[in-house]
Amino acid sequence: MIKIRLARLGAKKKPVYRVVVADSHNARNNGRPVATLGQYDPAKGIESLSVDTEAALAWLGKGAQPTETIRSLFKKAGIMAQFEASKK
């Protein structure tokens, strides 16, 4: 199964995450992601979420399943609302 999830980067106790599309059977940071959609810095809040919206909508349309964290970030950014509107 293909999932949209976070891959951890950054120093100890100062995480920065990449938003990636990856096979769910691979470990979080092991293996090559299928695609990289953007970045997220939790220390700066939702304003730091930078995602390629067109690519994210394309992957959601292809059936990629977002994790719970990604789903909540996408809801706050308005991407899930765009996806729901495009389905109708």
Side-chain angles (χ1 to χ4, degrees), residues 9 12 15-16 19 21 35 40 43 45 59 61 73-74 85 87-88:
L9 302 170
K12 183 167 49 168
V16 176
V19 180
V21 179
Y40 172 61
W59 278 106
L73 289 173
F74 280 7
K87 286 181 17 179
K88 293 181 181 178

Side-chain angles (χ1 to χ4, degrees), residues 6-86:
L6 296 173
R8 190 180 194 280
L9 302 170
K12 183 167 49 168
K13 299 197 181 205
K14 294 183 183 177
V16 176
Y17 296 96
R18 278 194 188 140
V19 180
V20 298
V21 179
D23 186 9
S24 65
H25 297 293
N26 292 341
R28 180 187 70 199
N29 290 337
N30 291 346
R32 171 178 261 157
V34 177
T36 301
L37 302 179
Q39 275 187 240
Y40 172 61
D41 185 356
K44 295 179 182 173
I46 190 69
E47 299 84 30
S48 70
L49 179 66
S50 63
V51 176
D52 182 3
T53 306
E54 297 296 323
L57 291 172
W59 278 106
L60 289 169
K62 291 176 187 175
Q65 298 295 312
T67 61
E68 289 300 317
T69 305
I70 288 294
R71 185 180 305 273
S72 71
L73 289 173
F74 280 7
K75 279 184 184 178
K76 291 175 185 173
I79 297 172
M80 291 306 285
Q82 290 179 10
F83 177 63
E84 294 297 325
S86 70

